[in-house]
Amino acid sequence: MENREIEVRFLNINKAEFITTLRTLGATETPEYRLEETIFYDPELKWRDVDKRFVRIRKTGDAIAITYNHKQHAGIDGTEEIEFAVNDMTRARLFVERLGLVAYREQAKKRHTWKLDGVTIDIDEWPTVPPYVELEGSSEAHLKEVAAKLNLDWSKKITEDALVVLEKYYNIPFGKLRHFTFEHIA
């Protein structure tokens, strides 16, 4: 069974106006929350530099998940993602490290999640970066339909992942940083 993410991003949104549009359309809301993540690569950083894959441990409130993410191509459905819940952050980290992966970066972002017509709409805010929107759904056609309802210009969609977005569009050396949190960037 293959797990494909089908997602696009739209950069530099006006968050207040966008939320007003979501509410007007009757989208359901999950209040804003903070995600804290640790990104793991192989010791030689081939995963980061060549293979475009990583393992992530993410903490959202009391929920913890491990994710394997492999960006196979830059298309709308170019990412394989396998994610599952765990209940112990320390043991999860130990497990990943025992597999031979190395904790490379601590990162954090704020996320405000909405649902509209079966599409997940995340408003993400990283440190020092204007808010942007990520749409994730069942097909490109479905995402395009919801994007139109949200007055998002499909010709301006971004299909690259967050690492590329932060590096290419905001000139942040994200892939080289060891800390990218609201408290510490280095």
Side-chain angles (χ1 to χ4, degrees):
M1 177 174 154
E2 189 160 6
N3 298 293
R4 261 310 132 200
E5 271 190 317
I6 300 173
E7 65 183 14
V8 294
R9 291 172 176 79
F10 297 88
L11 306 184
N12 303 320
I13 61 141
N14 179 314
K15 184 178 176 182
E17 287 179 11
F18 193 74
I19 288 172
T20 298
T21 300
L22 287 164
R23 287 186 174 135
T24 300
L25 292 170
T28 57
E29 174 182 8
T30 300
E32 187 173 89
Y33 51 97
R34 180 179 168 132
L35 294 108
E36 297 176 2
E37 304 170 328
T38 303
I39 303 298
F40 295 83
Y41 298 116
D42 64 301
E44 298 80 24
L45 297 178
K46 182 180 176 208
W47 279 27
R48 181 193 72 185
D49 298 335
V50 179
D51 297 340
K52 308 300 181 213
R53 59 183 166 150
F54 61 86
V55 169
R56 171 183 66 217
I57 299 176
R58 174 183 281 172
K59 186 173 191 299
T60 307
D62 293 331
I64 303 167
I66 293 179
T67 305
Y68 169 79
N69 185 295
H70 183 191
K71 188 71 169 177
Q72 297 169 338
H73 62 82
I76 196 167
D77 64 349
T79 302
E80 176 187 20
E81 184 173 270
I82 303 166
E83 183 172 276
F84 57 93
V86 295
N87 61 9
D88 185 318
M89 189 101 165
T90 303
R91 290 182 61 76
R93 184 177 180 126
L94 183 62
F95 174 80
V96 172
E97 288 172 345
R98 289 297 189 266
L99 293 173
L101 300 179
V102 177
Y104 184 81
R105 181 176 52 257
E106 302 294 327
Q107 59 192 45
K109 64 184 169 188
K110 295 175 188 169
R111 175 169 279 176
H112 199 160
T113 299
W114 301 76
K115 286 275 197 181
L116 180 64
D117 297 342
V119 170
T120 300
I121 303 156
D122 291 323
I123 302 170
D124 282 349
E125 292 183 75
W126 291 90
T128 74
V129 175
Y132 67 75
V133 172
E134 177 182 290
L135 304 182
E136 185 172 348
S138 59
S139 70
E140 181 174 352
H142 195 198
L143 294 183
K144 194 172 188 177
E145 178 184 306
V146 171
K149 286 183 179 182
L150 295 168
N151 300 314
L152 296 169
D153 183 347
W154 192 253
S155 71
K156 295 182 179 178
K157 74 184 177 307
I158 305 294
T159 59
E160 290 103 349
D161 62 17
L163 184 144
V164 174
V165 166
L166 295 172
E167 290 186 342
K168 181 177 177 180
Y169 299 98
Y170 298 106
N171 298 314
I172 296 168
F174 189 60
K176 308 289 186 209
L177 293 175
R178 302 306 293 260
H179 301 275
F180 195 62
T181 67
F182 295 96
E183 297 77 26
H184 184 64
I185 298 174

